[in-house]
Amino acid sequence: VTGWAPAAPAVAAKIDATMANIRSGKSIDLMDMMLTMQHFCGPRSRNDCAGYIAEMPQVAASVKSGPGTWDRKPLPKETALEIDRLLSEMANRPEAGTVRAELRSIAGELVESSPKALKRDLKAPLLLEKRPDEA
């Protein structure tokens, strides 16, 4: 892991392993994806967010083939809101224009894995609604 280093070596190892899984087409869950999103595109990150966004087709495929959450329970509210915030911020980046469909797919997975009471409060699904100019 380069750039901003997570506080714990175990977290850095988890990010590296998750990215290796993504690049090899293996399934990941939303919690693992959140770690990578925070690492590459979080508010304190100095990593290559544009490069991470370029890998969004692989990220979305890995999330889609995964279980949502490994324990198949709804995400904790704070986690769902953090993923929603990260997805919303990524959706507003200029380089995300070519991966809106993938971000929309991840937002759908987020809705499916979020607590029922929270689903209406998520912003990313609205931000990523299909535009008239999108195929």
Side-chain angles (χ1 to χ4, degrees), residues 56-58 60 98-107:
M56 204 47 58
Q58 295 92 335
T98 59
V99 294
R100 284 182 55 83
E102 289 82 2
L103 292 172
R104 189 169 32 256
S105 170
I106 293 170

Side-chain angles (χ1 to χ4, degrees), residues 57-97:
Q58 295 92 335
V59 174
S62 290
V63 169
K64 192 83 173 151
S65 70
T69 58
W70 292 122
D71 62 8
R72 304 211 184 262
K73 293 181 181 175
L75 289 167
K77 179 181 178 180
E78 300 78 29
T79 302
L81 290 172
E82 173 67 1
I83 294 171
D84 184 57
R85 182 187 67 73
L86 289 162
L87 273 175
S88 297
E89 289 175 2
M90 287 175 68
N92 285 321
R93 292 180 66 105
E95 59 270 26

Side-chain angles (χ1 to χ4, degrees), residues 15-26:
I15 291 166
D16 286 342
T18 300
M19 291 308 297
N21 286 341
I22 289 167
R23 291 173 181 138
S24 64
K26 294 181 182 174

